[in-house]
Structures are given as C-alpha cells and as structure tokens.
Amino acid sequence: MSDASKDPMSTDAVRADFRSYEERAAAGRALRDRLPRDHYASWRRPRQKRDPVDLLERSNAGRVSALVPFRAGRMLRSPFAFLRGSAGLMAHDLAQLPSTGLRVQACGDCHVMNFGLFATPERALVFDLNDFDETLPAPWEWDVQRLAVSAAVSARESGLPGHSARDAAATCVRSYREHLRAYAQASPLEVWYTRLDVDELVELAPTSGARAMRKKLARTARGRVAEALFPKIATSVAGQTRLVDEEPLLFHVPAADAEARVREGLLAYRGSLPDERRVLFDRYQLVDFAAKVVGIGSVGTRCHVGLFLSNDGHPLILQFKEASRSILEPYAGKSAHDNAGERVVVGQRLMQSSSDIFLGWAKARGRDFYVRQLRDMKLTVPIELASASQLVRHSEICGWSLARAHAKAGDAATIGGYLGKSDRFDTAIAAFALAYADQTERDHAALHKAVRAGRIAAVLDETKTIPSGVGSAARVALGWI
C-alpha cells in the first residue's frame, strides 16, 4: 500500500523545509534503503479480483446519467482513449504500490494529451500542463507513472516500432529526473519564474523539420483566440447575439430558470476574482450561454460556455466546468478546500508557470465549478500523428514540464536525491509502463465485453442525434442544478 495516509503533508502541498540542499538530497538518497528504485519496475495483476468496469461505474456517481453512455463510447475508441478516461481506475491501482511518501501538488490525470500550448497573461505562448480537474497533494510518483504509461500506450496505438513504447516512457522519465535535479539547485523564485516558452522550444528542436513543425503549431495556437472563435460559434437571432447549437455537443438548456442559475453562478465567480480582475470582468456582459459536452473522463460533468460582449461588441468566451472531488481523495486524503472548484484553481496556479487571468471558481445550487477562458491559444499537440522520434521528443518535453511543476510545488531536492544521477529509476518506470500498458489493454477489452453484454450503455457515433429521450434529459440535467 502507498504511504500516502501516513505522510505529514496530507493537506499541504508544500511545507517549508529549511535544511540545506545537501541535507535534503541525502535524506532522499536514504529512502533508497527502504524502497529501492528497481522496485518501481514491477506491476502484477492484483491478487484480489479487481473489476475495472465496476470501478468505472463508481466514478460515474454524480454525473448526468443521460450523458454517461457518451463517456463509455469515447473510452471504447482505443486503449489510449480508455486510459484517458480511467484516471480513477489507475489511481486505485497506483495506491496499492509502494511509495516514498514524498508528496507534491499532483496533477492527478497526468498523460501526454494533458500537456500543450496556451497563452500567458502577457500573451506569450508557453508549453505546460493544462488539465487540473483531479489535482491534489499526493505522492509524486503517481504523476510520473501515469505519464510514462500514457507515452507507452500512445506509441502502441500509433503502430510505432516495438521499442518505441519503451523509448518514449524512459525518455519522459529521464527528462523529469534530470530537470527536477536541476531545479532543486535553483532558488525558489527562479523555479517560480521558469517557464517553457514556445520560442525557446522552437530553437531547441533537433532538426529543421521539427523546428518547422513547432513553428506551425505555434502559429495555429496564436490564432485560437476569442476574436477568431466568435464568428464561428455565434450568430444573430432577432437582433440578439446567440451561440450556435452544435448538437449533440453544444446546445442550449431549456429550463425556464436556467438564466437565473447562471447569473447566480456568475456572482459567485466574480467574488473569487482579485479586485483588479473584477474591474476587467465588469466591462463585459453575458449575452448567451449553452451546455457543452467535453473531454473523455469529464463527460457527464456539467459544463457551460458563456458568451460575453463588451459595450463595443468585443467577445469574451468563458467555460464553466463542474468540479467534483478529486479521484485521488480516497487514496491521498481529503482536499483542504471545501469548494472543489477552488481546489482546481489553487492546484493549477501552484503547478502552472502562468495561469489564465480569468481563472476562478463558483458555487451554484450546491454544485462547484471552476472557470477559465475557452481556448485562448490553447492547443493540444496531435500526438496520434507523431512518428517515433516525434513522440519521444514530445514525451521528453512533457517530462521536463512535469518536473518544473513538481519543483514549484514540492521538495525537489529530496525527490532528486532519491532519483539520483543514474538511469535506474528511468529503466524501472519504463518496464512498469509496458506492463501497465498490457493491463490497460485488458481493461479496455473488459469494457468492450461489458458493452456487448449490455452491462454498460455506450453511444458510439456522436455525429448522430442524441437518442430519443436522452436529449431532453441531458439538456435539463446540464443546467446549474
């Protein structure tokens, strides 16, 4: 079992430790006697029967029941899609394994598709983690293990050569280890100010082809802003600006008091913003809102898009996404924040190099939400099209980014001391990643079997209209209540 429950940092991601770097690094090295790094290589199917479908069904609690089949349908697409949607299942598995007991502010759903490009408040373009729905103080290993597994599963799904899965997993862990050790020797302010600027990543590209690809992605990301999105998703209806329904993934909520609920949430959200951001927010007014079906693991949680306009018609597009208890809580302890939206926002600010100026949280009719701009140069790297060398390079940057996040919100010196200079930990986690990739394929097959047997309902083709009776139920349930 994990030592998470015994850890003195059960509520705080960071606790001041004023021992010297050498003393903390030595403490990390001493942990190897209790938990040799080689032990991370093993993954065996649990002795007690573990039903992945049952664990997935438990994670549907509180979701909009009419939309749960969409979640299952998206997870059926491939083992990698299954992995993306089953963070709770993997958290259950990781919690059964030994841990050093060292904790950081963890992402909780750390996989290669949850890293990407987005804009800083200064309008610079950076690469970083961009999904924090499950963030919570937890063992640092859990993020690293999930990231390595995702790299391995992604390589298999893309049909890359057999060694590519191991290479991608080992590379992301090596990058994490080396960069974390480097950050451990920097000052806290230096780590806090550090960011992975896209222009720097372009210059670091190993080939002219890679450099051209990164420039192209950067140009695409810089075009993904509200002003460019607005004409595509809005129209004029009877002289009023309205969002365009794109069923079944974006649609208006028919409940008569929906607007009142939204405005209640807006009032709470406004209160979460710093004073100067409220001044900015007050220069826009809500003109329309619609429900949105998002993600894979998030499908079934309530999500709205709000369209705001300034007095001169300039758009602001915000996403209000429901926040629930982190899937890590049963294994790492309860969050220090009563509002799950605040938990997400605080974790995001701790881990990211720079966060959205409109990031905030709300509570409406008993449900918690967090808020951010929709898109704002946000772009996920299309790794499903990556070659073996491209996937390895992407995995390397993801490992680097995770190291910066953990160093910002954890004890990098002690963790770095444990990791050491050799590749022993890298090799062990790569072996684990391959073994757990096999487990993911078995669990994905179990979901297929459950759907065929009628145990689980799944919507496989989202281009079709929502099945009769499901649409109206989903529309009502996706309100603020």
Side-chain angles (χ1 to χ4, degrees):
M1 291 288 289
S2 166
D3 293 327
S5 61
K6 302 177 183 179
D7 184 55
M9 297 173 65
S10 58
T11 57
D12 297 323
V14 179
R15 182 162 295 179
D17 184 346
F18 289 99
R19 292 176 298 169
S20 69
Y21 164 79
E22 286 299 336
E23 289 173 322
R24 285 149 57 213
R29 290 191 292 272
L31 288 172
R32 300 176 196 168
D33 294 334
R34 178 171 65 81
L35 181 60
R37 291 162 293 176
D38 294 342
H39 282 206
Y40 284 96
S42 61
W43 166 256
R44 296 181 180 85
R45 300 174 71 168
R47 292 180 181 177
Q48 293 184 343
K49 188 173 182 180
R50 151 194 170 282
D51 185 346
V53 177
D54 179 59
L55 289 168
L56 289 174
E57 288 186 299
R58 290 186 209 173
S59 69
N60 287 328
R63 296 174 189 261
V64 179
S65 58
L67 293 178
V68 167
F70 286 86
R71 182 189 184 208
R74 292 183 178 187
M75 292 176 68
L76 282 172
R77 293 173 181 170
S78 68
F80 185 64
F82 179 92
L83 180 74
R84 290 179 61 187
S86 58
L89 172 61
M90 190 167 187
H92 167 273
D93 291 342
L94 293 176
Q96 316 306 313
L97 302 177
S99 164
T100 58
L102 302 174
R103 292 159 74 89
V104 296
Q105 184 71 33
C107 168
D109 188 13
C110 189
H111 61 72
V112 289
M113 290 290 283
N114 273 345
F115 292 78
L117 312 183
F118 60 87
T120 71
E122 300 79 23
R123 314 315 291 156
L125 191 60
V126 297
F127 181 95
D128 209 338
L129 270 163
N130 57 23
D131 189 304
F132 299 89
D133 287 11
E134 310 299 346
T135 185
L136 195 73
W140 61 275
E141 298 99 324
W142 293 359
D143 275 352
V144 177
Q145 288 167 301
R146 183 160 171 79
L147 177 59
V149 169
S150 73
V153 175
S154 176
R156 289 184 178 182
E157 182 169 318
S158 298
L160 299 176
H163 61 83
S164 300
R166 182 182 294 275
D167 290 348
T171 298
C172 82
V173 180
R174 173 189 56 75
S175 180
Y176 174 88
R177 174 178 55 82
E178 292 178 350
H179 284 100
L180 188 85
R181 287 174 56 82
Y183 287 132
Q185 299 183 62
S187 75
L189 276 177
E190 286 177 316
V191 175
W192 201 270
Y193 290 142
T194 297
R195 68 188 190 192
L196 276 66
D197 189 274
V198 166
D199 291 336
E200 178 184 357
L201 293 178
V202 168
E203 293 304 314
L204 289 174
T207 66
S208 59
R211 193 172 301 112
M213 176 61 73
R214 291 182 187 182
K215 286 182 178 179
K216 181 179 180 181
L217 286 172
R219 286 194 300 271
T220 301
R222 290 188 173 102
R224 291 168 64 88
V225 293
E227 289 78 4
L229 178 62
F230 174 59
K232 300 175 183 178
I233 67 170
T235 189
S236 179
V237 178
Q240 301 295 316
T241 304
R242 292 289 181 260
L243 292 164
V244 177
D245 284 354
E246 297 179 2
E247 297 195 37
L249 304 181
L250 183 70
F251 51 87
H252 285 82
V253 178
D257 60 343
E259 183 171 352
R261 298 170 189 166
V262 168
R263 294 196 181 278
E264 176 188 332
L266 283 178
L267 186 63
Y269 161 65
R270 183 181 182 278
S272 75
L273 295 172
D275 289 350
E276 75 281 2
R277 304 289 167 84
R278 293 179 195 170
V279 173
L280 175 60
F281 180 64
D282 288 346
R283 291 177 177 167
Y284 295 86
Q285 62 178 335
L286 179 70
V287 298
D288 198 17
F289 63 93
K292 190 176 193 304
V293 180
V294 293
I296 295 180
S298 298
V299 174
T301 57
R302 293 151 184 84
C303 181
H304 280 72
V305 173
L307 174 61
F308 300 76
L309 295 178
S310 70
N311 57 354
D312 291 324
H314 297 291
L316 169 67
I317 306 173
L318 298 180
Q319 177 173 285
F320 296 75
K321 189 175 181 184
E322 185 179 10
S324 305
R325 292 177 57 207
S326 168
I327 50 92
L328 300 183
E329 277 198 15
Y331 319 107
K334 186 179 179 182
S335 170
H337 304 284
D338 291 333
N339 187 304
E342 183 178 8
R343 169 187 61 78
V344 172
V345 169
V346 172
Q348 182 165 345
R349 288 174 177 165
L350 270 172
M351 297 190 75
Q352 278 189 329
S353 56
S354 187
S355 297
D356 184 0
I357 61 173
F358 284 104
L359 191 63
W361 65 90
K363 194 176 194 72
R365 307 294 170 97
R367 297 192 183 278
D368 299 336
F369 294 84
Y370 70 93
V371 186
R372 62 171 177 80
Q373 291 185 77
L374 185 66
R375 292 197 180 180
D376 198 36
M377 301 193 199
K378 185 177 179 182
L379 181 68
T380 301
V381 178
I383 60 169
E384 66 274 8
L385 304 176
S387 66
S389 59
Q390 288 172 332
L391 177 60
V392 166
R393 289 197 293 266
H394 178 71
S395 300
E396 181 177 21
I397 299 172
C398 289
W400 179 1
S401 181
L402 182 62
R404 188 210 52 75
H406 282 183
K408 186 181 176 187
D411 184 357
T414 305
I415 297 172
Y418 177 80
L419 292 172
K421 297 179 181 179
S422 76
D423 66 354
R424 182 167 294 180
F425 183 77
D426 317 353
T427 302
I429 293 294
F432 168 82
L434 296 181
Y436 199 87
D438 293 339
Q439 182 67 57
T440 300
E441 291 170 0
R442 290 191 292 267
D443 293 341
H444 177 245
L447 179 61
H448 267 283
K449 182 178 179 180
V451 170
R452 289 195 300 269
R455 178 181 170 189
I456 295 286
V459 175
L460 303 178
D461 187 354
E462 295 177 8
T463 64
K464 297 180 179 178
T465 304
I466 298 178
S468 175
V470 175
S472 59
R475 287 176 177 81
V476 173
L478 274 168
W480 286 92
I481 58 174

